[in-house]
Amino acid sequence: MKAEMENIPSGHLTYEELHNFVNAFPALLWRVERVKNRIEYLNNYRIEPLDSNAGLLLQNRDFRVRHVFQEDLYLVESFMQAVQNGETAATVFRLRGEAEEVIWIKLTGVLDPKNPRYYVGYMLDVTQTAGVVQSITTTAGETEAMIELLDVPALLLDPRTKVVLAHNAAAREIFGYKPEEMLRRKFSGLYHESAEGPIQRVFEELLTDKKWGGRMLFKRKDRSIFSGNLHLRLFFFSSRQVLRATIHDVAMEGDAAQEGFPHPSGGERGPPALRKAATRLKSKVAKVADISKVLEILMENQVAPDRFDAVIFSDIHARRNKVIVYTAGNPLKAIPAGETYAYEGTIAENIDRFKLEHLIVDDTFASIKAIDWALFIPNGIRSYFAKAFYERKVMRSVLILCSTQRNHFTAQRLPEYECYYEAFLRGLKNWRTRQRGPKH
């Protein structure tokens, strides 16, 4: 953070001046690293009655439930969803004071325009000015236009010129353009050339039908291709006609990870010792059909002396909003095999949202993900490495290596973690085959 501040152009605040300003600012300043869902606090401002624990309102849902008025809880939850989606957001809600007095808190946040990996914001006590809290008047057209609240890529277009009038964070993220690059860009610069003919007929149909939906190919700024279900709708907003475009069910074209197989693992490349370890692991699980036993074999046959403390297999059922968890290792021994969690807020959802190859969380206590506070933190897990696997282009499984120490996992050790992939997949295949077999 200090290095970033020291790059301030001449003629502006010095690092020391900016540091003093941040420390003196009468609000709790914070930023979230979106991919890792990691939060850090930029000053030590305290908000009564929570004192130094105010930041837990952003991190821990159970803490929010205890301290936020029940009627206002949805406001904080909506704000946290906006943080996840990288959307500009602001809200005001009420806290219970120690003497049951009402304390009004304002939350504001925005995606860092120079580094969209980060979302920055502040938390402020606005009790003294609570007379001007929230006054919202929403018409049907305005509801349609609030694309920033959508968690899918969304655009507002001029129906005549097909120029982009507005766009949300998810659209900028998927297309890879900066905000100023997206604005006034023609829609024809966002879809693949092969769609030119069909899309013209679609625009003609819109004049009478007012809406259309279908699968299309799109192109990013870097010329890579993805597909998605395009939904178009014409409506009036502020006395003018606009065209709303949303993209659902995005799929990356030519992404090897989507085909159900990891990249070449430690069994196929890397130092001879790792190749040998991967082969040995694979042979040990060759005939094992009990997934809990497979995880125990991975735990007992680690390839490096710097051991992790637990391992998790998450069986993913996104459409049913369900993740079924199996574990091995002492820290997680209290979790029953087959324990179920909601898909929303899980590692799997985060990996899928950002199309990640893997996910490393350095410190769960700095996390804002629900699963970290429900599963990892209560059981002493401080860091983890997660790898997702796909079947027929759908994420079905996540392997998670866990440690009770912070910063245990690093990207430099990927070949080591890859040693477990083939053994895990072999055991997983055995287990799924047995699951599909006849019941006795």
Side-chain angles (χ1 to χ4, degrees):
M1 189 68 185
K2 180 176 180 179
E4 295 174 12
M5 292 181 176
E6 287 176 338
N7 290 328
I8 299 170
S10 59
H12 292 69
L13 291 174
T14 64
Y15 167 73
E16 183 178 359
E17 290 171 332
L18 184 56
H19 183 266
N20 291 337
F21 169 78
V22 167
N23 283 332
F25 194 75
L28 180 63
L29 303 175
W30 48 266
R31 73 171 183 175
V32 170
E33 187 176 359
R34 296 175 61 229
V35 172
K36 293 187 176 183
N37 279 277
R38 178 182 181 275
I39 193 168
E40 61 179 321
Y41 301 100
L42 309 182
N43 63 1
N44 296 316
Y45 187 78
R46 296 170 183 260
I47 294 177
E48 300 299 336
L50 304 180
D51 200 40
S52 60
N53 292 324
L56 288 176
L57 289 170
L58 304 173
Q59 295 182 250
N60 189 337
R61 190 178 190 280
D62 290 340
F63 189 85
R64 292 197 286 272
V65 170
R66 290 199 302 271
H67 294 281
V68 176
F69 273 65
Q70 183 177 359
E71 309 93 292
D72 296 356
L73 191 60
Y74 80 96
L75 296 169
V76 190
E77 300 291 351
S78 296
F79 181 87
M80 295 311 300
Q81 188 62 52
V83 174
Q84 294 281 354
N85 297 337
E87 300 166 353
T88 299
T91 194
V92 177
F93 61 95
R94 293 168 296 171
L95 285 180
R96 292 184 181 85
E98 293 180 353
E100 293 300 315
E101 73 274 22
V102 177
I103 297 167
W104 290 87
I105 301 295
K106 180 178 181 180
L107 272 174
T108 298
V110 65
L111 199 66
D112 186 334
K114 292 188 177 180
N115 190 349
R117 290 191 307 120
Y118 291 100
Y119 189 97
V120 296
Y122 66 83
M123 185 187 305
L124 175 67
D125 185 337
V126 292
T127 304
Q128 293 182 350
T129 56
V132 282
V133 183
Q134 286 178 313
S135 177
I136 302 175
T137 303
T138 305
T139 66
E142 287 171 329
T143 301
E144 292 282 352
M146 293 176 72
I147 58 175
E148 281 297 344
L149 299 180
L150 300 177
D151 60 0
V152 298
L155 308 164
L156 289 184
L157 308 173
D158 183 305
R160 184 179 61 84
T161 64
K162 311 302 185 295
V163 163
V164 175
L165 302 174
H167 45 82
N168 68 355
R172 295 191 295 272
E173 184 176 293
I174 194 68
F175 285 107
Y177 289 103
K178 297 177 180 178
E180 62 273 16
E181 294 175 323
M182 280 291 288
L183 204 60
R184 310 304 299 176
R185 178 168 293 276
K186 280 187 173 285
F187 189 53
S188 58
L190 300 176
Y191 57 76
H192 192 260
E193 291 79 3
S194 63
E196 183 63 40
I199 198 66
Q200 294 308 318
R201 292 192 293 274
V202 168
F203 289 147
E204 292 171 7
E205 292 178 22
L206 279 169
L207 296 176
T208 54
D209 297 340
K210 305 302 181 185
K211 60 182 179 180
W212 179 88
R215 196 77 180 168
M216 273 191 60
L217 284 178
F218 299 89
K219 61 183 179 183
R220 286 193 172 99
K221 181 180 180 180
D222 64 6
R223 310 300 294 177
S224 61
I225 305 300
F226 68 94
S227 61
N229 290 331
L230 175 65
H231 292 209
L232 296 170
R233 182 170 181 178
L234 273 172
F235 65 96
F236 278 91
F237 171 63
S238 298
S239 302
R240 68 175 294 184
Q241 194 176 46
V242 294
L243 176 61
R244 188 182 70 172
T246 55
I247 305 171
H248 305 255
D249 300 321
V250 170
M252 305 300 150
E253 299 296 306
D255 186 348
Q258 298 288 328
E259 298 303 325
F261 301 99
H263 289 290
S265 70
E268 299 174 0
R269 67 177 185 182
L274 291 184
R275 295 200 302 269
K276 184 177 179 180
T279 301
R280 183 175 63 250
L281 268 174
K282 189 176 178 181
S283 66
K284 284 181 177 290
V285 302
K287 297 182 180 180
V288 179
D290 182 335
I291 194 63
S292 295
K293 181 62 178 175
V294 170
L295 300 181
E296 289 173 7
I297 291 173
L298 299 186
M299 276 291 302
E300 294 166 1
N301 296 271
Q302 297 190 36
V303 301
D306 187 11
R307 297 170 60 87
F308 49 84
D309 301 296
V311 61
I312 297 174
F313 156 53
S314 293
D315 191 20
I316 311 301
H317 301 269
R319 291 185 178 180
R320 294 158 60 189
N321 191 32
K322 185 168 69 172
V323 173
I324 305 172
V325 168
Y326 301 84
T327 70
N330 285 332
L332 304 178
K333 63 182 179 181
I335 299 175
E339 185 82 347
T340 300
Y341 297 86
Y343 173 75
E344 184 178 350
T346 61
I347 295 167
E349 183 192 40
N350 205 57
I351 289 176
D352 194 49
R353 179 195 299 269
F354 293 102
K355 308 301 176 188
L356 304 175
E357 275 295 310
H358 60 266
L359 175 65
I360 295 176
V361 168
D362 300 318
D363 186 358
T364 54
F365 272 104
S367 174
I368 60 172
K369 285 199 304 300
I371 195 66
D372 287 348
W373 289 88
L375 174 60
F376 294 103
I377 292 173
N379 292 289
I381 301 302
R382 294 298 302 273
S383 62
Y384 58 80
F385 168 86
K387 171 67 179 178
F389 300 93
Y390 297 77
E391 296 176 18
R392 293 184 293 277
K393 299 186 179 181
V394 176
M395 184 192 295
R396 285 300 317 280
S397 313
V398 178
L399 176 66
I400 310 167
L401 310 180
C402 308
S403 174
T404 57
Q405 303 298 316
R406 294 172 60 249
N407 302 306
H408 182 87
F409 302 96
T410 68
Q412 289 70 34
R413 295 172 61 186
L414 279 176
E416 173 190 318
Y417 312 144
E418 289 171 353
C419 287
Y420 302 101
Y421 295 174
E422 286 193 358
F424 170 69
L425 290 174
R426 173 61 64 87
L428 180 64
K429 182 179 180 181
N430 295 344
W431 179 72
R432 292 205 188 281
T433 300
R434 190 177 71 174
Q435 294 288 100
R436 291 190 290 265
K439 304 292 182 182
H440 297 287

